Amino acid sequence: MKKLLFIAAFVTLLTSCNVTSNYYQIYKANPSENLVKKGNLLVFEDENCVVSYNLWQEGGNIGFNIYNKSDKNLYLNLEESFFVLNGVANNYYKNRVFSNSSNSAAITSSGITACKTITGFNYFDLLQTNKIAVTNGAGLSYSSGHSVSYNEEKIIIIPSKSSKYVMEYSINNLLYSTSSHQIS
């Protein structure tokens, strides 16, 4: 009976350990009265454009899609566009230079080897074998590459009836964890 009580107490002790972790991404977005919630999107719309934000993207990506509804080009001046987080304005335009490059290389080689073996008696009348080898080789190497650099655009032009995605910032790429460890 004591053995049964001991096993029951031991099993109860093991099953009463409770470790839970919950992960939340908590930020409060204060939309203006012009933003409307449509599914997972916050949407602003007027007679010229539709701007939509998907705040449920991984890491809280604050990028937005802007669709030009008009029949004329739409101009977005990034020098006058900002992402504001907790009262701190972050510029969308940073005057950067981007670069794309690619390289390729090829190497070929060839060679030839000739051997000659001579066996005979040396000065001390001992049998001796000498081997002579000659190697001749040639190689060719070719390398080529190119690079294209371009400046960041100050003004994004969105043609009529099309859209562009503007992305620069994430609200937070880190997870906030609350863990409770209990032993009862």
Side-chain angles (χ1 to χ4, degrees):
M1 181 72 170
K2 286 183 183 180
K3 190 174 185 180
L4 182 61
L5 285 174
F6 176 74
I7 292 173
F10 184 73
V11 169
T12 303
L13 179 65
L14 289 179
T15 58
S16 67
C17 295
N18 182 14
V19 177
T20 59
S21 294
N22 297 311
Y23 295 95
Y24 304 95
Q25 196 164 4
I26 305 171
Y27 280 90
K28 182 178 180 183
N30 293 323
S32 69
E33 65 271 357
N34 297 334
L35 282 175
V36 176
K37 186 176 185 279
K38 292 183 181 178
N40 285 339
L41 301 176
L42 287 177
V43 178
F44 167 84
E45 185 171 357
D46 67 10
E47 65 277 356
N48 298 309
C49 67
V50 178
V51 181
S52 57
Y53 298 88
N54 182 358
L55 301 181
W56 290 103
Q57 292 183 41
E58 186 173 334
N61 181 347
I62 196 65
F64 57 93
N65 185 48
I66 184 164
Y67 175 75
N68 181 0
K69 293 174 25 177
S70 73
D71 293 327
K72 299 178 182 176
N73 287 342
L74 186 66
Y75 299 89
L76 177 61
N77 187 346
L78 291 181
E79 283 188 307
E80 296 180 10
S81 301
F82 307 94
F83 166 62
V84 180
L85 178 63
N86 296 330
V88 177
N90 298 279
N91 298 352
Y92 273 104
Y93 179 71
K94 297 183 179 190
N95 197 23
R96 296 172 285 195
V97 175
F98 297 100
S99 181
N100 291 327
S101 63
S102 66
N103 294 303
S104 63
I107 299 173
T108 62
S109 64
S110 63
I112 188 167
T113 302
C115 293
K116 179 74 175 172
T117 304
I118 299 174
T119 303
F121 290 96
N122 64 13
Y123 181 73
F124 299 107
D125 275 340
L126 296 173
L127 186 63
Q128 181 176 341
T129 301
N130 291 334
K131 185 176 185 178
I132 299 172
V134 176
T135 302
N136 186 8
L140 174 65
S141 175
Y142 169 77
S143 179
S144 143
H146 73 279
S147 178
V148 176
S149 295
Y150 57 95
N151 294 328
E152 181 175 20
E153 295 177 4
K154 292 180 184 181
I155 297 175
I156 295 175
I157 302 171
I158 305 164
S160 174
K161 310 296 185 219
S162 67
S163 66
K164 286 198 178 179
Y165 190 72
V166 179
M167 183 181 85
E168 183 65 36
Y169 296 102
S170 292
I171 297 172
N172 189 356
N173 286 324
L174 303 175
L175 296 175
Y176 175 81
S177 173
T178 59
S179 298
S180 60
H181 303 280
Q182 299 173 356
I183 299 178
S184 305

